[in-house]
Structures are given as C-alpha cells and as structure tokens.
Amino acid sequence: MSLEKEIHFRVNGNLTSVEVPVTMNALAMIRDRLKLTGTKRGCEEGECGSCTILVDGVSVNACLMFAVDCDGRDLTTIEGIRTAEGLSPLQKLFVEEWAVQCGFCTPGMVMQGTYLLSQNREMSVEDIKRGIEGNLCRCTGYKKVIAAIAGALHATPRRGEEKEDS
Amino acid sequence: MTIEQYAAPETLDELTRLLSGGNALIFAGGTDVMPQTRAGARQFQPYLINASRVAGLRGISREGARIRIGALTTVTDILESNLLSEHVPVLVEAADCFASGQVRNTATLGGNLCNASPAADLAIPLLLVDAELELSSNDNGAPSRRVVPISDFFVAPGKTVLKPTEILTRVIFDAPPSGFRARFIKFGTRPALDIAVVSVGVAGATANMVFAITRVAFGAAAPTPIRGKKTEELLEGRLLVDDTILAASSAAQKDVSPISDVRGSAWYRRELVRTLTERALHDVA
Ligand SMILES: Cc1cc2nc3c(=O)[nH]c(=O)nc-3n(C[C@H](O)[C@H](O)[C@H](O)COP(=O)(O)OP(=O)(O)OC[C@H]3O[C@@H](n4cnc5c(N)ncnc54)[C@H](O)[C@@H]3O)c2cc1C
Ligand code: FES
Ligand code: FES
C-alpha cells in the first residue's frame, strides 16, 4: 500500500482536504476522489489534453501532475468555469459555433481556451492553433473550436481596453 | 518499493539535507517521472521528494556577462524570456518546439537535463554555449557545490554524473558575443508533441571578419546529447562556402552513433544528421 498524505487546496473556489496516495496523479484525485468527472481521462501520458485544468491560473495536464503537488494551490476544473450568469462566454461560443461533436475533448479544449484568453494577448488563427496543439479531437472538429476561441477573444475586451460606462 | 516518506521542502538547505541519505526519487514538474513510474519504467525510492517548492531556483537573470537560469525554470519561462530572446535566441527556438503548451507550463529545465534523454531538446543549445551546471549537495551538514561543464554531464541514456545526494541548481553560461549566430533544428513527424527523431544545433561567431562555426551538437543521434567534435574541427576558422558545408555534413555522420527505434532506423537518423547539418549551416552562413 502506498504512503498517503493529507493535502489542502482550493478547487473551483472551495477549500478542500483529501488524503491521497503520494504516487497518485491529480487526474485520478479530481475524478475518483473529488468526483469532478468533467475533467476527462484520455491517454494519461500528456498527449491528448483532455485532462487540462488550471493550477494557479496556468494550464497543465492533470495526468502528469502528482496529486500531492496540489497542496496549497488553487485549482480550476471545467466545473468551475461557469459564471454567476451561467455558461462562460467561451462555453456559449462552443455551443453557438457547434464546436462540440462527441464532447470528449471539450472540457480540455475549454480549459486550454480559457487559459489562452486569460493571457490577454492578441492572437491570430495560427496562434490559436498553436495554443491548442496539446489538445486532440478525434472527431476532427478543430475549425469550430478555433472559431469559438477567436470569437471569445473579440467578445472579451482585453485588460486596459475595457469600454467606459458612460 | 514502499515509499516511507514524502517531502516538499521549501529551501535548498532542507532539500539537500533530505537527499544526503540517498534513497530518494526527486521530481520537479513530474512530466517525466509521472509517466515513467506509471509505466513501471522507473521505480519509486523510499523517499519521494517534490523539489518544485524550493525557493530561489526559478528564474532567468544576468550578472555582467553571465546568464543564470534556475533549475526550476519552466520551458514556458524560457520561451517568454526577453533576456534569452535577445542573447541566446537558439535556446528560445528549442523551447518553442517543445511538447505542448500544457507540458511547457510544467516541464522544468532541470528535469529536462537530469532526465538525460538522448533527445532532450534544451541540452542542444546549452551545449552550443558551453553551459556549466551547478550541482548542490550537503556535505556532513555544510552546503557544498561543484560545477560541471554540460559536455561532461551526460553519461548514458537516463544517466548523468549527478550523485544520489546531489541536485542540479543552476545553469550558467556567458552571454554569447555580438556576432554570435546559431540555429537549432528538430526533426519530428509533426510540429507539436513530438520527441526529436534527430536534432541538430550549430553556432558560430565572427573573428577577424570571418564568420566561422565554433560549436555543433546533436540530439537523439547517440546515447546522450553530444558535441560534434569532428564536425567542429573540420569547420574551425573556415568560411561557410558550399563545399565546406557539404564536407561538414558528411563529417557529422562520423560524430554520431544512432540506434534504431520506433521513431526511426539508425540509417534514417544518419541521413537526417547529414541533411539537417547541411540545412542548419546554410541557415547561419
Ligand atoms: C507529452 C510529453 C511531451 C514531451 N515533449 C518533450 C519535448 O518535445 N522535448 C523534450 O526534450 N522533452 C519532452 N518531454 C519530456 C519532459 O517533459 C521534459 O524532459 C521535461 O523538461 C522534464 O522536466 P520535469 O520538471 O517535468 O521533470 P521531472 O519529471 O520532475 O524529472 C525528470 C528527471 O529529472 C530529475 N530531476 C528533476 N529536477 C531535478 C533537479 N533540479 N536536480 C536533479 N534531478 C532533477 C528527476 O529525478 C527525474 O529523474 C515530453 C514529455 C511528455 C509527457
Ligand atoms: S489524459 Fe492527460 S493528456 Fe491525455
Ligand atoms: S468532439 Fe469528439 S473528441 Fe473532440
């Protein structure tokens, strides 16, 4: 039996404590212990991006991360992306653009898209393609995913450029 | 292997003390350790040490002519560094064709070098600038350090000169002189998420009005990332005209000793070494 360790962290805004085997990856902890099954288990080797989450605001593959390394950090999973008004602007665009086919890659795509948008940079279509190079879609729906991210980029005013309320 | 203790030390002193007994497996980003242990390709040790929280080991700085990069610096940090784009763009080029955004956000420079894959992308540009690696340990209660040139660091696939009690803390090199030009080419079957089938790096500087190559390095073409000494000798002080470039790309084939594996046969890798060396030399000529 593997050594277990109690860790404390925030997930989607809530303080959480769990005891995890020190060899476990963060993906197993999120899905099997926290029962947040929106984060998908694809390859478990860092190749497909379906397990993408944000750790302290930065996108990572949960399958490559030691669960114990979540201690003290701030995690966001797909369950934490919606806003008080409902789906996030990027999620709405995934719906409007029909960027979802079977949906398996979608949580990872939305998380990586959310991270790219949070970088607050102008992005060309090439930059967006580059940005989602670590996310595989087996239904080959990349065009619509790219359209959704591009749409959100122009829908969200970049920091420092917010429109003034007159 | 039963794990007896897990620790995530926050200071270098604490980390080196924990390591002083040996028997430890360290991880930083975990992007190599996690898949390797899951696949059974690597065994856990009685101590599992998370090095990622150690203060002061992440960041890129310049003091005088020396550039220092902390072992916990991520590939994304390298890719986004203005200091490195200005002084050693070839290191940024290597970071640019590394894995995917998510992996780059986690993978560290120290992990890339200490994992000692023959294909380690960041090793190639660092061989071109004669980087030195600072290794730290705890010697009977006192902090101890030694510096190893990167060309002496790698021993075999997955093996380096690091002792079980040591940790890589910093990578240090002189900012290349003005007139320094270098190129890194990684060959894979697709642009993203691909381990190099072969990679080639060349670097040179201008002396007496002549631009000549001073360093050549190869990845995934030998048991470790290597300098191409025969190619360097051939190119020393010579103008990069077509005949010289052709001769050098043949010499490059004598520097390497590739294996056949899923990514390519030894024959194919040798051909790639010649082609990529030629291409890289034309690019900087
Ligand atoms: C999907 C995927 C794609 C990848 N693509 C690439 C690629 O394109 N190019 C490439 O070169 N690599 C690639 N890799 C390999 C890996 O991401 C890199 O080698 C990475 O830099 C390792 O860093 P890490 O911090 O995650 O290392 P870890 O997994 O934490 O550690 C790796 C090794 O280094 C040791 N170690 C770590 N830090 C230190 C230290 N400071 N001192 C002493 N020992 C230390 C560990 O004990 C272990 O042996 C890829 C991996 C995956 C999963
Ligand atoms: S499950 Fe993590 S990248 Fe595929
Ligand atoms: S929608 Fe099916 S994998 Fe992307």
Side-chain angles (χ1 to χ4, degrees):
Chain A
M1 214 191 67
S2 173
L3 178 70
E4 301 224 343
K5 179 95 189 158
E6 188 179 313
I7 55 171
H8 311 272
F9 54 96
R10 227 175 246 284
V11 60
N12 301 330
N14 305 314
L15 280 173
T16 311
S17 301
V18 276
E19 206 167 283
V20 290
V22 296
T23 56
M24 184 183 255
N25 64 32
L27 175 63
M29 177 186 78
I30 289 166
R31 287 182 55 86
D32 307 337
R33 294 287 170 97
L34 305 179
K35 306 292 179 198
L36 293 171
T37 53
T39 304
K40 298 302 175 206
R41 180 182 273 130
C43 64
E44 279 202 276
E45 301 187 329
E47 299 277 348
C48 75
S50 65
C51 67
T52 304
I53 59 166
L54 304 184
V55 177
D56 296 330
V58 173
S59 67
V60 309
N61 301 111
C63 69
L64 296 179
M65 184 178 182
F66 280 83
V68 278
D69 197 27
C70 294
D71 193 35
R73 301 197 192 243
D74 191 350
L75 272 58
T76 309
T77 65
I78 187 68
E79 289 86 351
I81 286 295
R82 56 185 295 131
T83 65
E85 295 84 53
L87 295 182
S88 76
L90 179 61
Q91 285 177 310
K92 280 189 197 145
L93 278 153
F94 264 70
V95 176
E96 284 164 25
E97 294 285 349
W98 296 88
V100 182
Q101 292 189 51
C102 81
F104 195 83
C105 70
T106 311
M109 290 282 191
V110 170
M111 295 311 290
Q112 182 63 9
T114 302
Y115 169 71
L116 295 173
L117 294 168
S118 76
Q119 296 299 290
N120 199 32
R121 287 184 196 147
E122 196 46 59
M123 283 186 286
S124 63
V125 167
E126 279 314 307
D127 295 331
I128 297 174
K129 281 189 189 167
R130 183 75 218 277
I132 58 168
E133 68 191 356
N135 295 77
L136 293 181
C137 176
R138 292 203 63 182
C139 306
T140 66
Y142 296 105
K143 274 201 167 159
K144 291 168 181 191
V145 170
I146 293 162
I149 298 173
L153 183 67
H154 299 111
T156 12
R158 282 178 299 144
R159 235 172 286 148
E161 286 183 12
E162 272 98 335
K163 295 206 180 65
E164 274 178 41
D165 266 338
S166 52
Chain B
M1 176 66 68
T2 34
I3 301 176
E4 291 159 19
Q5 200 194 333
Y6 164 81
E10 293 182 2
T11 64
L12 182 58
D13 190 51
E14 220 183 313
L15 172 65
T16 52
R17 274 171 205 276
L18 283 164
L19 284 180
S20 61
N23 287 333
L25 174 61
I26 306 179
F27 69 86
T31 64
D32 279 316
V33 171
M34 181 53 85
Q36 287 166 1
T37 50
R38 267 182 55 82
R42 180 160 195 158
Q43 300 306 307
F44 281 105
Q45 298 295 315
Y47 290 84
L48 178 63
I49 299 181
N50 176 353
S52 71
R53 310 284 171 110
V54 173
L57 293 187
R58 180 170 176 183
I60 303 160
S61 64
R62 183 181 163 190
E63 281 164 46
R66 306 287 272 169
I67 293 179
R68 294 157 180 272
I69 312 180
L72 294 178
T73 303
T74 65
V75 181
T76 300
D77 294 338
I78 292 175
L79 187 58
E80 294 181 349
S81 161
N82 293 331
L83 184 75
L84 296 179
S85 323
E86 187 187 335
H87 294 285
V88 249
V90 66
L91 182 54
V92 180
E93 271 174 44
D96 193 43
C97 52
F98 196 108
S100 64
Q102 291 95 320
V103 174
R104 287 192 295 271
N105 284 343
T106 319
T108 66
L109 169 61
N112 194 234
L113 298 179
C114 296
N115 186 59
S117 159
D121 283 329
L122 303 180
I124 303 305
L126 293 172
L127 280 163
L128 299 179
V129 295
D130 291 332
E132 295 179 328
L133 309 186
E134 177 193 87
L135 314 182
S136 301
S137 60
N138 187 293
D139 193 7
N140 284 320
S144 156
R145 267 197 252 177
R146 65 180 174 129
V147 171
V148 176
I150 188 168
S151 51
D152 293 345
F153 183 67
F154 303 109
V155 175
K159 258 189 78 73
T160 68
V161 299
L162 265 177
K163 296 185 192 131
T165 54
E166 279 177 328
I167 171 166
L168 169 65
T169 38
R170 273 175 204 89
V171 175
I172 307 161
F173 51 90
D174 284 335
S178 63
F180 172 86
R181 283 210 300 276
R183 178 90 166 98
F184 171 79
I185 303 180
K186 170 176 175 177
F187 186 88
T189 41
R190 60 189 184 125
L193 277 170
D194 215 351
I195 305 297
V197 182
V198 158
S199 62
V200 169
V202 300
T206 305
N208 305 324
M209 317 274 283
V210 175
F211 176 81
I213 292 294
T214 49
R215 291 287 178 270
V216 177
F218 302 106
T224 68
I226 52 159
R227 282 257 303 273
K229 297 257 169 89
K230 294 195 176 93
T231 319
E232 287 174 8
E233 255 167 53
L234 188 137
L235 287 167
E236 200 183 328
R238 289 181 59 182
L239 213 58
L240 281 182
V241 293
D242 286 358
D243 285 352
T244 310
I245 290 179
L246 271 184
S249 14
S250 300
Q253 293 187 304
K254 300 196 187 85
D255 274 319
V256 299
S257 49
I259 57 161
S260 296
D261 67 10
V262 286
R263 278 183 250 281
S265 66
W267 174 86
Y268 184 53
R269 284 195 159 98
R270 270 181 202 286
E271 289 304 304
L272 279 174
V273 162
R274 178 168 60 197
T275 309
L276 298 183
T277 304
E278 190 182 334
R279 204 174 287 169
L281 290 173
H282 273 296
D283 284 352
V284 293

